Amino acid sequence: MFKVLVSDPISDLGIQKLVDADDVVVEKKIGLSEEELIQIIPEYDGLLVRSQTTVTDKILAAGERLKVVGRAGVGVDNINLEAATQRGIIVINAPDGNTITTCEHAFAMMMALARHIPQAYAKTVSGVWDRKSFLGVELHHKTLGVLGMGRIGSEVAKRAKAFGMEVLGFDPFLTEERAEKMGITLASVDDIVRNADFITVHTPLTPETRGIISTDQFAVMKKGMRIINCARGGVIDENALVEAVNQGIVAGAAFDVFEHEPPQPDHPFLNNPKIIVTPHLGASTVEAQENVAIDVSEQVLHILRDEPFKNAVNIPPVAPSVMSKLQPYFVLGEKLGTVAAQITNAAIQEIVVNYAGDLSEVDTQPLTRHILKGVLSRHFGSDVNIVNSMHLAKARQVNIVVSKSATTKGFTNLISVALKLENGEESIVGGTLLAGYGERIVQINKFTVDLEPTGHLIYISHHDKPGIIGKVGTLLGNNDVNIAAMQVGRKTVGGEAIMVLSVDKEVPKKVLEELVQLPEVNTAQEIALLSK
Ligand SMILES: NC(=O)c1ccc[n+]([C@@H]2O[C@H](COP(=O)([O-])OP(=O)(O)OC[C@H]3O[C@@H](n4cnc5c(N)ncnc54)[C@H](O)[C@@H]3O)[C@@H](O)[C@H]2O)c1
Ligand SMILES: O=C(O)CC[C@@H](O)C(=O)O
């Protein structure tokens, strides 16, 4: 049974699927401190948050069973992603569910600014009928600058067009062609700050976007412009904004987000009549909260059940068409990695993966993560997974080289995993998926084999001498170990050789020790394959 903790207010309707699942227990505990979370997190396999819970390294470290942190929303800046990745915890978000809602909030803020709605409301309900102080401006024929033309920015631009605004857009990924299709003008940040009557920002907060609008930008803006931030506090520098408002450059500003949330009571935005604020309400509609909770719950369920999932933010995304091509190779890839790691005891300096045939044409990164997981599982056990396998390898200065080639030695697909070892040797395992027959290991070091990687394997390196196969068989038989299949590989008659035996049960250590006592045998070891 999996246990999932919901630590922020998340739509009940949205998490219904998780609640209804027979194999999941969902517990809601809202408003816990970091200390309280650290105390209880060891019981849980999944954690669901919005933006209130700060998921720190300490919380993640205490989450011994934690497989996934789900963020019901877009921004994951409240989750220590680096720490989650190191610990092999998948972080997912719900990137699409609150796009329209947040766009509508930004638009509502722009209209409220243009017509002084919050200020006029406050005065009217205080009993003052003041029709002179609130002369507004139309949006029609005004220029709107949109910084960040992703999901939300693009929706804002669409609505602005419908209001008869001219839209200037900037985004590192916005092309001339896409801008033209949307009926907007591709502009630089400088064009936008110099020419816009309204500016709205829709970027994440990154080192590059922090303060993208600051003193220098306000200095060249049109006098009387208006500005909106419904993205992240810090994208527009707060102090520079207050200064620009006081200088009369900015006629009005609307902020849904703050550098520190909630802001202190003496925050300069809170007593400035030209700055209107909301308490991070961008995504707060019934629809958006349901959407994001549904999305994130579905993915959490997939992750807990070891099923394919999407929207992971600490694993690169893969197109479904690519994923369906790679999926059948995941288990084989892990097995090749684990076998390669177990047939040597020397330290690994480099992992070289070669994909040939069908696999040379696709983005094989997800498969490489599985192979690395297999290699590292010998030493990291269940602490390694596909989220952290690459990170763990790199953190240990293990170089990873991936190559692709057309030569397949007659197979339609071929994966070769070569571990370059500290002692100058290599440990190489090659495998393929045979249509209709399944997984096969076809190469171990310099030997060609044909081995189905299932059950328990014994790997023996020995000298090719008459009678050795019989001796090994007898020794195993005497110890009640039944041989299901056997493969022998040698390069020259009487030279170095290997024997790989598939046996029906785990081999006691003492039997392996007895095998090494045979004069022809150099090494004998059991190879643990994956349970799947
Ligand atoms: N106020 C809220 O409640 C609320 C709700 C949802 C999203 N958000 C925030 O809104 C922001 C946008 O969300 P989204 O769903 O549109 O994300 P998105 O990823 O679809 O779009 C963000 C865009 O910003 C662009 N960008 C990155 N660096 C840039 C730069 N230096 N200059 C210009 N553009 C740059 C990216 O290329 C991307 O296209 C995020 O920060 C998100 O956290 C806030
Ligand atoms: O959970 C919220 O309400 C905030 C959501 C928003 O900031 C986001 O990034 O999705």
Side-chain angles (χ1 to χ4, degrees):
M1 189 65 78
F2 302 113
K3 280 184 84 177
V4 173
L5 175 66
V6 178
S7 67
D8 281 337
I10 293 180
S11 157
D12 282 334
L13 215 61
I15 58 169
Q16 200 56 43
K17 201 165 181 179
L18 213 48
V19 173
D20 289 345
D22 292 340
D23 50 348
V24 179
V25 174
V26 178
E27 289 178 356
K28 265 195 169 188
K29 295 181 182 172
I30 314 292
L32 299 179
S33 66
E34 185 185 25
E35 276 315 309
E36 289 166 326
L37 267 167
I38 291 170
Q39 288 297 316
I40 63 165
I41 203 71
E43 300 168 37
Y44 295 96
D45 305 273
L47 172 65
L48 279 195
V49 301
R50 245 172 98 178
S51 51
Q52 289 93 318
T53 303
T54 302
V55 185
T56 61
D57 185 22
K58 285 187 184 159
I59 296 172
L60 296 166
E64 290 155 18
R65 297 167 46 141
L66 210 53
K67 273 182 99 175
V68 53
V69 176
R71 159 73 161 103
V74 184
V76 284
D77 32 8
N78 55 322
I79 301 168
N80 188 330
L81 281 186
E82 170 110 10
T85 307
Q86 273 174 29
R87 299 184 186 287
I89 299 168
I90 302 168
V91 178
I92 52 157
N93 69 351
D96 303 310
N98 61 26
T99 299
I100 299 295
T101 280
T102 310
C103 152
E104 288 181 358
H105 193 74
F107 220 86
M109 292 291 249
M110 181 158 69
M111 297 187 76
L113 266 188
R115 304 302 292 269
H116 310 287
I117 290 170
Q119 298 91 336
Y121 167 80
K123 211 157 195 188
T124 310
V125 296
S126 77
V128 184
W129 187 254
D130 177 2
R131 299 184 63 229
K132 286 198 193 105
S133 307
F134 302 117
L135 188 66
V137 290
E138 285 185 353
L139 300 186
H140 192 240
H141 283 168
K142 296 292 183 311
T143 299
L144 171 67
V146 184
L147 287 182
M149 286 288 297
R151 286 174 292 255
I152 298 170
S154 300
E155 289 297 331
V156 170
K158 219 190 271 178
R159 281 151 185 78
K161 290 286 299 169
F163 269 70
M165 301 182 88
E166 190 198 335
V167 180
L168 307 179
F170 172 73
D171 189 297
F173 295 101
L174 181 64
T175 59
E176 195 75 69
E177 193 191 346
R178 196 176 139 236
E180 205 173 304
K181 257 192 199 152
M182 294 181 72
I184 70 163
T185 306
L186 173 60
S188 65
V189 177
D190 194 52
D191 286 341
I192 288 175
V193 297
R194 285 176 190 278
N195 297 306
D197 302 296
F198 290 83
I199 291 178
T200 182
V201 293
H202 297 287
T203 68
L205 181 67
T206 64
E208 211 179 301
T209 62
R210 181 178 286 281
I212 194 166
I213 306 274
S214 192
T215 311
D216 290 351
Q217 288 70 36
F218 284 119
V220 294
M221 282 182 188
K222 273 187 178 174
K223 198 159 186 291
M225 64 80 66
R226 291 171 171 83
I227 192 159
I228 302 115
N229 185 358
C230 288
R232 279 292 177 269
V235 173
I236 299 171
D237 186 281
E238 291 181 350
N239 293 328
L241 171 80
V242 173
E243 192 65 16
V245 169
N246 293 340
Q247 288 170 357
I249 299 169
V250 172
F255 274 60
D256 182 45
V257 286
F258 297 81
E259 280 184 41
H260 302 288
E261 293 183 4
Q264 293 298 309
D266 62 349
H267 190 287
F269 285 8
L270 304 187
N271 57 13
N272 191 316
K274 292 193 173 152
I275 304 178
I276 63 174
V277 289
T278 46
H280 204 142
L281 290 184
S284 291
T285 62
V286 175
E287 294 85 353
Q289 286 314 308
E290 245 172 66
N291 290 342
V292 292
I294 289 171
D295 290 352
V296 88
S297 300
E298 278 176 359
Q299 298 314 314
V300 164
L301 209 47
H302 286 315
I303 291 167
L304 293 178
R305 291 175 175 167
D306 251 341
E307 294 167 355
F309 57 90
K310 56 181 190 174
N311 298 339
V313 290
N314 53 350
I315 314 182
V318 186
S321 57
V322 173
M323 202 53 157
S324 65
K325 271 194 184 158
L326 294 180
Q327 194 99 40
Y329 295 94
F330 286 163
V331 175
L332 172 68
E334 279 190 40
K335 286 178 178 173
L336 297 179
T338 196
V339 173
Q342 287 177 76
I343 58 175
T344 177
N345 283 319
I348 302 164
Q349 285 185 328
E350 187 166 271
I351 303 172
V352 184
V353 180
N354 182 268
Y355 297 107
D358 293 352
L359 287 168
S360 62
E361 289 148 24
V362 278
D363 172 7
T364 43
Q365 227 237 66
L367 180 52
T368 306
R369 287 173 178 269
H370 280 269
I371 293 172
L372 297 181
K373 177 185 167 203
V375 173
L376 300 180
S377 61
R378 176 171 180 198
H379 299 295
F380 287 91
S382 58
D383 285 348
V384 59
N385 62 27
I386 54 161
V387 180
N388 63 3
S389 59
M390 202 155 283
H391 173 89
L392 288 178
K394 286 182 181 163
R396 274 145 194 87
Q397 268 95 46
V398 175
N399 198 24
I400 299 159
V401 180
V402 176
S403 61
K404 299 199 172 166
S405 57
T407 11
T408 58
K409 298 182 184 158
F411 300 105
T412 42
N413 55 77
L414 186 66
I415 305 171
S416 151
V417 181
L419 309 183
K420 299 208 167 172
L421 307 167
E422 197 183 35
N423 59 11
E425 292 178 3
E426 274 189 320
S427 166
I428 307 172
V429 179
T432 186
L433 261 191
L434 293 179
Y437 294 95
E439 301 163 351
R440 286 290 186 282
I441 292 182
V442 295
Q443 181 189 359
I444 295 183
N445 290 338
K446 53 194 168 188
F447 306 104
T448 301
V449 293
D450 177 11
L451 185 74
E452 195 181 346
T454 51
H456 301 268
L457 299 184
I458 307 176
Y459 174 78
I460 297 172
S461 68
H462 61 97
H463 294 293
D464 179 37
K465 290 238 175 93
I468 175 65
I469 293 178
K471 281 190 191 174
V472 169
T474 306
L475 195 154
L476 291 175
N478 288 344
N479 283 284
D480 200 26
V481 178
N482 193 37
I483 301 171
M486 175 186 254
Q487 275 285 305
V488 183
R490 65 176 187 189
K491 277 281 167 195
T492 54
V493 177
E496 264 180 79
I498 59 160
M499 215 186 280
V500 188
L501 301 112
S502 171
V503 294
D504 292 338
K505 63 175 190 186
E506 209 171 315
V507 188
K509 209 167 161 229
K510 103 174 194 341
V511 177
L512 296 172
E513 283 164 2
E514 281 180 37
L515 282 169
V516 183
Q517 297 305 315
L518 295 174
E520 300 86 350
V521 171
N522 296 327
T523 60
Q525 63 198 100
E526 180 160 24
I527 295 177
L529 290 170
L530 312 162
S531 49
K532 277 196 225 172

